[in-house]
Amino acid sequence: MLSAGALSALLWHTLVSQKIKLYWHPTYTWLLIFWGIVIIGVPFASNKGVAVAMFTGSYIKIIIMTLAVSWLITSSKELSRFAFLVIAAGLTVAAWPSTTQSMELALSRGLG
């Protein structure tokens, strides 16, 4: 959910309102080198199926969101808000299974 919102905000502010100008920071060069090494390593993995699944399932999202978040956050105030939202989202996701599990336990024992 956060990634869809972040990407939507990035697209809106770069293409429509043009309030954010995309830039290339020297740090991105090191990230690009690292990502290149990972991409080159995928075909050489001992278990290619798992490597491709992990790359297409998770790693490509990490690459996209790293750039999106680094372009969206421009001040320390925005960074603290983003950190709070990430923690709040993580706590929400973590609390959901334990809530449903306790409800299922109560229903299975006839307590609900």
Side-chain angles (χ1 to χ4, degrees), residues 41-107:
V42 169
F44 297 107
S46 60
N47 190 339
K48 289 181 181 69
V50 171
V52 170
M54 290 299 294
F55 182 78
T56 58
S58 297
Y59 198 74
I60 196 75
K61 295 173 191 170
I62 294 170
I63 292 171
I64 293 168
M65 289 309 298
T66 301
L67 292 173
V69 169
S70 68
W71 284 323
L72 283 173
I73 296 176
T74 57
S75 69
S76 59
K77 186 176 183 179
E78 291 174 355
L79 180 61
S80 64
R81 284 183 185 165
F82 179 75
F84 174 77
L85 288 174
V86 168
I87 291 169
L91 290 172
T92 304
V93 168
W96 184 258
S98 53
T99 305
T100 57
Q101 185 179 21
S102 64
M103 284 191 288
E104 288 173 3
L105 181 64
L107 288 175

Side-chain angles (χ1 to χ4, degrees), residues 19-61:
K19 290 183 180 180
I20 294 178
K21 302 291 182 207
L22 301 183
Y23 59 91
W24 188 263
H25 191 272
T27 309
Y28 297 156
T29 305
W30 290 106
L31 283 170
L32 187 66
I33 292 168
F34 175 70
W35 295 332
I37 292 169
V38 171
I39 291 168
I40 290 169
V42 169
F44 297 107
S46 60
N47 190 339
K48 289 181 181 69
V50 171
V52 170
M54 290 299 294
F55 182 78
T56 58
S58 297
Y59 198 74
I60 196 75
K61 295 173 191 170

